[in-house]
Amino acid sequence: MLNLLAAAAMTMSTIIIPPGGDPGDTPPPDHITIDVVTVNGSGCPAGTAAVAVSPDNKAFTVTYSDYLAQVGVGARPTDFRKNCQLNLRVNVPQGFTYGIAQTDHRGFGHLERGASGVQRANYYFQGMSQTERKTHTWRGPLSDDWQATDEVEVAAIVYHPCGERRNFNINTELRVSAGSSDPKTTTSFMSMDSTDGAINTTYHFAWKRCT
C-alpha cells in the first residue's frame, strides 16, 4: 500500500494548444501567455501546487503534491473528496479567440473490491454559464492507471467572447466511496496521477479568428 501511495505523490496537468477548431483554422502565429490567477481547493492547498509555463508559451504544467482522494485505513473523514479550481488568464494575439475542444484526464487509482471512484470536471469563462459537468466512474477491484476523455462537438464549443477580458476557470474533482469494501482494514484511493509521473490532464484548445 505504501508503494501505491508513493506512486500517487505527484500530479500534473498540462494545457496544450494544437491546431484545432473549425476546419482550416490554425493557432495564432504569435505566442500566447497564460497567467495563473488563483489555485484553490482541497486537492491543491496553498504551497502544494507549482506552475511552470513552457518556453514557447503554448503550454503550462501545474504540479500537485497533495491531490489524492481516499477512504479507509489512514484516511480522514473528509478525504473521500478532493477538488481543485484553476483561475487562468489566457492572453492571445489580437484577432483570435479560443475554446476547449477536448480534455484528457489521466491518473492512478487503487480501489478495493466493492469500492468506487469518480472523476468530474467542467470549465467556463468568468461571468458565463458553466459547461456540463462530465463524470467518469471506476469500480474495484482496480490498481492501475486510469484515463478519461471529454470531447466537445465543434458546433458546441464555447469560445471566449472577442474583445472581452474574462478569466477561464477549470474545476476538477476526485471522489472515492468505500461501498461494500471494509474501510477498517483496507484503503482505496484515486489520484490525478500516473505511475511513471507522466502528464495527467491535457486541455486541447480550439482556435477561431475574431471578425
Side-chain angles (χ1 to χ4, degrees), residues 15-209:
I15 287 183
I16 64 173
I17 303 169
D22 295 337
D25 283 352
T26 58
D30 297 326
H31 292 162
I32 70 163
T33 60
I34 302 173
D35 301 321
V36 180
V37 181
T38 58
V39 180
N40 293 312
S42 56
C44 52
T48 66
V51 180
V53 179
S54 65
D56 60 7
N57 288 325
K58 291 187 176 182
F60 76 87
T61 299
V62 182
T63 303
Y64 305 94
S65 59
D66 194 25
Y67 205 154
L68 179 73
Q70 59 180 337
V71 294
V73 178
R76 297 169 298 183
T78 57
D79 285 345
F80 77 97
R81 177 186 179 274
K82 293 294 179 71
N83 76 294
C84 185
Q85 175 168 308
L86 302 177
N87 183 270
L88 314 173
R89 182 182 300 114
V90 182
N91 306 300
V92 302
Q94 186 174 3
F96 284 85
T97 187
Y98 67 94
I100 293 289
Q102 178 178 313
T103 308
D104 302 313
H105 305 277
R106 297 182 180 88
F108 186 85
H110 176 79
L111 302 173
E112 296 289 335
R113 185 177 298 278
S116 61
V118 171
Q119 183 271 334
R120 294 189 177 100
N122 74 325
Y123 45 83
Y124 61 97
F125 293 107
Q126 190 172 7
M128 300 176 64
S129 299
Q130 296 190 22
T131 59
E132 179 182 356
R133 186 176 291 272
K134 303 293 185 179
T135 301
H136 303 273
T137 303
W138 293 264
R139 302 188 185 281
L142 170 73
S143 188
D144 203 352
D145 296 334
W146 56 264
Q147 178 172 336
T149 298
D150 302 330
E151 292 184 287
V152 180
E153 294 183 4
V154 171
I157 296 174
V158 178
Y159 287 89
H160 181 280
C162 289
E164 298 184 17
R165 293 186 64 85
R166 295 176 184 262
N167 289 353
F168 184 63
N169 294 283
I170 299 172
N171 296 321
T172 57
E173 176 186 347
L174 292 176
R175 187 185 295 261
V176 178
S177 173
S180 61
S181 67
D182 185 0
K184 295 181 180 180
T185 60
T186 64
T187 301
S188 294
F189 70 86
M190 292 285 292
S191 173
M192 206 84 76
D193 185 61
S194 65
T195 54
D196 59 2
I199 292 173
N200 296 95
T201 305
T202 303
Y203 298 89
H204 300 269
F205 277 67
W207 291 98
K208 287 182 65 174
R209 289 183 178 274

Side-chain angles (χ1 to χ4, degrees), residues 4-16:
L4 292 173
L5 292 175
M10 296 298 292
T11 299
M12 302 172 66
S13 61
T14 297
I15 287 183
I16 64 173

